Amino acid sequence: MLKRYALILFAAVIGLFTLTARADYQPRAERVTENVYVIVGPLGQRSADNDGLNANFGFIVTPRGVILIDSGASRLGAKKIEAAIRKVTNQPVCWVVNTGSQDHRWLGNDYFAGQGAEVIALARTAATQAEYAAQQIEGLKRFLGKRMQGTKPLPAPKTLAGDSVTLERGGETLELTYTNAHFPGDAWVWLPKQRVIFSGDLVYVDRLLGVLPWSSVKNGQQAFKALAALQPARIVPGHGRVCDLAQAQRETGDYYDFLANQVGAAAREMEPLAATLDRYADLPAFRHLDNYEGLHRANMNRAFTEFESQ
């Protein structure tokens, strides 16, 4: 009996250790080129295990401070991003640039602003952040629980007018351009000197693109073509590993084309939705991507609805 209780206690301790270790996810920075770095998040869903950091974040080290691209899903997540930056440089985060308004793109803004950083976004990006703030905070509390403590939504205070804006900070040039794909007001950040683009949630690789009820496949297809025209040397996608244009085309650009050209055509021709979903349920070109089974049918449904209404 004593041996049995000892085994139960041992199992409980191991289980507690495992939960603690999983909840202590620590982001790690990787060099993209020159002074540009990326933190590649896990491909799975938001959870207490990853503090909602299941996305990619980037930063540029300048002599005058760090420019951070997106700030994480919570105060705790922002601190973890900051810790990853500290392993590369002692320069403070002086500027935060938001590519979008999905929770993990901006809910760390308040933390970095409290450290003295200027938080910047295109005007429509900041407006969408304000619109979705309460909904996103409540949604993340279901995933992160107490790990959301201290998180306060701060839509980017420094807003930029125009559909495409050139920003100079720390001796670096950044070009922000709307994509309006995943969320209204989403944007990319193009670094012309390095020929690196932070696509925000326009581009996914290694996992299937997610189409949300407020996403626009039409805008995504157009924006991806504009991104391709830049001929970037490296793409930092919203999710997945840093890639070249060829991989982004195969795993995102071609998928936008499928949704717009095949599903969109079926919608415009008033084909039955169920028949369209069944006909394209199995796509060998994309079924190897993470989350294909969980997202593909819903993506087609939402694309169909978008093009049906046009």
Side-chain angles (χ1 to χ4, degrees), residues 19-37:
L19 287 172
T20 303
R22 290 176 67 195
D24 198 27
Y25 165 71
Q26 298 298 326
R28 182 174 62 87
E30 305 171 16
R31 186 172 177 269
V32 179
T33 184
E34 300 177 26
N35 58 334
V36 180
Y37 295 82

Side-chain angles (χ1 to χ4, degrees), residues 2-290:
L2 184 61
K3 182 178 180 180
R4 180 183 175 188
Y5 283 133
L7 288 172
I8 293 171
L9 179 61
F10 177 75
V13 170
I14 292 298
L16 180 61
F17 174 80
T18 301
L19 287 172
T20 303
R22 290 176 67 195
D24 198 27
Y25 165 71
Q26 298 298 326
R28 182 174 62 87
E30 305 171 16
R31 186 172 177 269
V32 179
T33 184
E34 300 177 26
N35 58 334
V36 180
Y37 295 82
V38 63
I39 297 168
V40 177
L43 293 177
Q45 300 303 316
R46 295 162 186 73
S47 68
D49 298 341
N50 58 41
D51 286 308
L53 299 178
N54 61 327
N56 293 348
F57 311 92
F59 61 96
I60 307 147
V61 180
T62 84
R64 303 173 200 169
V66 171
I67 305 168
L68 174 63
I69 311 294
D70 294 330
S71 61
S74 66
R75 182 178 181 86
L76 178 57
K79 288 182 176 181
K80 288 188 171 187
I81 290 172
E82 184 181 51
I85 294 171
R86 287 286 168 270
K87 293 182 179 179
V88 173
T89 178
N90 288 324
Q91 290 276 22
V93 174
C94 292
W95 306 277
V96 176
V97 177
N98 295 150
T99 66
S101 50
Q102 192 166 26
D103 45 31
H104 45 210
R105 299 284 164 214
W106 72 281
L107 285 176
N109 285 356
D110 179 69
Y111 173 75
F112 287 108
Q115 305 301 303
E118 179 185 37
V119 182
I120 307 165
L122 292 175
R124 202 177 310 149
T125 310
T128 308
Q129 290 170 350
E131 179 182 352
Y132 284 89
Q135 175 184 330
Q136 291 178 356
I137 289 286
E138 288 307 308
L140 277 176
K141 283 179 180 177
R142 292 196 296 270
F143 289 105
L144 306 186
K146 293 181 179 179
R147 301 181 75 80
M148 280 289 287
Q149 286 181 350
T151 303
K152 299 176 182 178
L154 177 68
K158 173 68 175 179
T159 59
L160 308 173
D163 291 340
S164 187
V165 179
T166 298
L167 184 68
E168 304 284 347
R169 291 293 188 275
E172 295 290 336
T173 300
L174 299 81
E175 296 177 7
L176 282 68
T177 300
Y178 283 124
T179 65
N180 293 309
H182 199 55
F183 270 71
D186 275 9
W188 71 49
V189 177
W190 168 237
L191 309 180
K193 182 177 74 174
Q194 297 92 342
R195 302 202 64 77
V196 171
I197 194 162
F198 288 86
S199 74
D201 288 322
L202 174 67
V203 177
Y204 285 45
V205 300
D206 302 322
R207 59 160 289 185
L208 191 71
L209 174 74
V211 179
L212 303 175
W214 40 81
S215 300
S216 172
V217 169
K218 181 179 179 181
N219 290 347
Q221 183 188 38
Q222 293 173 346
F224 189 91
K225 289 178 179 177
L227 179 150
L230 293 172
Q231 290 293 301
R234 305 297 285 162
I235 297 171
V236 179
H239 298 267
R241 295 166 294 174
V242 177
C243 64
D244 58 15
L245 181 56
Q247 183 181 2
Q249 181 66 56
R250 288 192 308 273
E251 299 184 6
T252 291
D254 290 352
Y255 192 62
Y256 279 127
D257 288 343
F258 158 74
L259 291 173
N261 299 341
Q262 272 70 53
V263 176
R268 288 190 296 268
E269 292 165 11
M270 295 184 288
E271 293 183 8
L273 172 60
T276 302
L277 299 185
D278 290 343
R279 188 188 337 152
Y280 296 119
D282 183 22
L283 295 181
F286 308 110
R287 68 185 177 203
H288 67 286
L289 297 173
D290 276 26

